[in-house]
Amino acid sequence: MRRITLVLSGGAVRGAAHIGVIKALEEYGLSIDGLSGSSAGSIIAVFYGAGYPAKEMEEIILKTKVMAYLKPSFNLQGFFSLEKMGQLFEQYIGVKDISQLEKKVFVCATNLELAKPEYFDTGDITKVVSASCALPPLFEPVEINGYTYIDGGIMNNLPVEPFLDTGSFIIGSDVNPIGRGKPVKDPFNLLIRSLYLAIRSNVEMRKNYCHIFLQPPDLKGIGMFSPWKIKDAIDIGYKYAKEVLKDIKKQLKE
């Protein structure tokens, strides 16, 4: 069978659906050889790359108080800082550099000065993942090697590029199905909706590079910033992937 690589989009709380997708792949007896991710997808990629199976990732995320890792920012670049995310990785990830993970992992972040997405497979896990998750204006940017980085999904929310020339079987998991939004009545939600639509457009450009593209439609009912719906997101991802992937072993042999 061909090597399987898994590409995980960002999507805040909806990103938990990736755990359900991985759970389905595990139940089909398939091993993931490499992962890439943007924003929330980068967190799942790092945890799976560190050796955590889907069941353990689910247990960890359900007992983690997400808001405890957000630190108010006192500058004008964002409302919160993600520097406390390091505590999460120190507790659960046994290495500091992405290159030391058990599986090959790429984390996508947007270089603000150079106006391009970059794919990190080496570097401090906390710094790189924080950069990948730094969605403006919620989170302040992260500086790495003299450059300023923001959320990877801004320019690439389905980072297939690291695997395009590897000959691997690429599975793309996107957690942002389009749906009719509620009427926008304030500037903040107008900005979030606009960012969401821009991010969606760069996924459309890349999904055709995937051998299988997963996008559970029921995730439209999960708010991106609704942590009380994490379990629902996981279950939606699992049920959808279980159905779509039922013939995956046949496809891997073709």
Side-chain angles (χ1 to χ4, degrees):
M1 290 188 182
R2 297 168 69 180
R3 295 174 60 249
I4 300 174
T5 50
L6 186 59
V7 181
L8 308 177
S9 77
V13 167
R14 292 176 180 174
H18 296 314
I19 297 175
V21 170
I22 292 172
K23 181 179 179 182
L25 286 166
E26 290 176 343
E27 290 186 2
Y28 282 122
L30 299 171
S31 175
I32 300 167
D33 297 289
L35 304 97
S36 68
S38 284
S39 202
S42 72
I43 299 175
I44 304 301
V46 164
F47 268 81
Y48 197 67
Y52 285 97
K55 182 179 179 180
E56 289 187 33
M57 286 195 290
E58 181 173 359
E59 292 172 353
I60 291 170
I61 196 171
L62 290 178
K63 70 180 181 182
T64 298
K65 296 180 179 179
V66 178
M67 296 303 293
Y69 293 95
L70 302 183
K71 178 183 176 182
S73 175
F74 297 101
N75 61 44
L76 299 177
Q77 293 183 304
F79 299 123
F80 299 98
S81 165
L82 290 168
E83 64 182 50
K84 291 182 69 176
M85 190 180 289
Q87 298 174 13
L88 181 68
F89 294 126
E90 287 176 8
Q91 182 176 357
Y92 292 108
I93 308 298
V95 298
K96 291 186 176 296
D97 196 282
I98 297 174
S99 63
Q100 297 173 307
L101 295 170
E102 294 180 15
K103 297 180 182 292
K104 187 68 174 179
V105 172
F106 293 88
V107 171
C108 177
T110 299
N111 186 314
L112 200 57
E113 282 89 0
L114 299 181
K116 68 176 185 177
E118 295 183 10
Y119 312 97
F120 293 89
D121 61 347
T122 62
D124 180 86
I125 290 173
T126 298
K127 276 256 184 186
V128 172
V129 174
S130 294
S132 184
C133 295
L135 179 68
L138 292 178
F139 306 114
E140 64 181 25
V142 176
E143 184 176 317
I144 302 175
N145 298 328
Y147 288 103
T148 304
Y149 290 87
I150 58 173
D151 194 297
I154 296 295
M155 294 195 73
N156 189 349
N157 206 35
L158 194 70
V160 297
E161 282 80 354
F163 303 125
L164 290 183
D165 298 320
T166 65
S168 63
F169 189 91
I170 302 174
I171 300 175
S173 178
D174 176 62
V175 296
N176 300 296
I178 194 67
R180 180 173 179 174
K182 296 179 181 179
V184 177
K185 298 180 179 180
D186 63 85
F188 177 77
N189 283 309
L190 176 61
L191 176 60
I192 294 300
R193 180 68 174 176
S194 300
L195 281 171
Y196 172 73
L197 294 177
I199 288 170
R200 276 274 310 169
S201 68
N202 71 56
V203 170
E204 291 298 311
M205 295 166 52
R206 292 175 170 86
K207 69 180 184 181
N208 293 327
Y209 291 107
C210 300
H211 296 88
I212 294 179
F213 178 69
L214 304 172
Q215 190 185 72
D218 289 347
L219 287 174
K220 287 184 288 188
I222 305 292
M224 295 179 69
F225 303 102
S226 305
W228 57 90
K229 289 194 173 183
I230 286 176
K231 182 66 168 67
D232 293 339
I234 294 172
D235 292 343
I236 288 171
Y238 170 72
K239 291 175 183 177
Y240 180 81
K242 191 76 173 176
E243 177 64 24
V244 173
L245 297 172
K246 60 185 178 182
D247 295 322
I248 188 172
K249 287 188 176 181
K250 179 181 177 181
Q251 295 180 58
L252 286 168
K253 293 177 180 179
E254 293 176 348

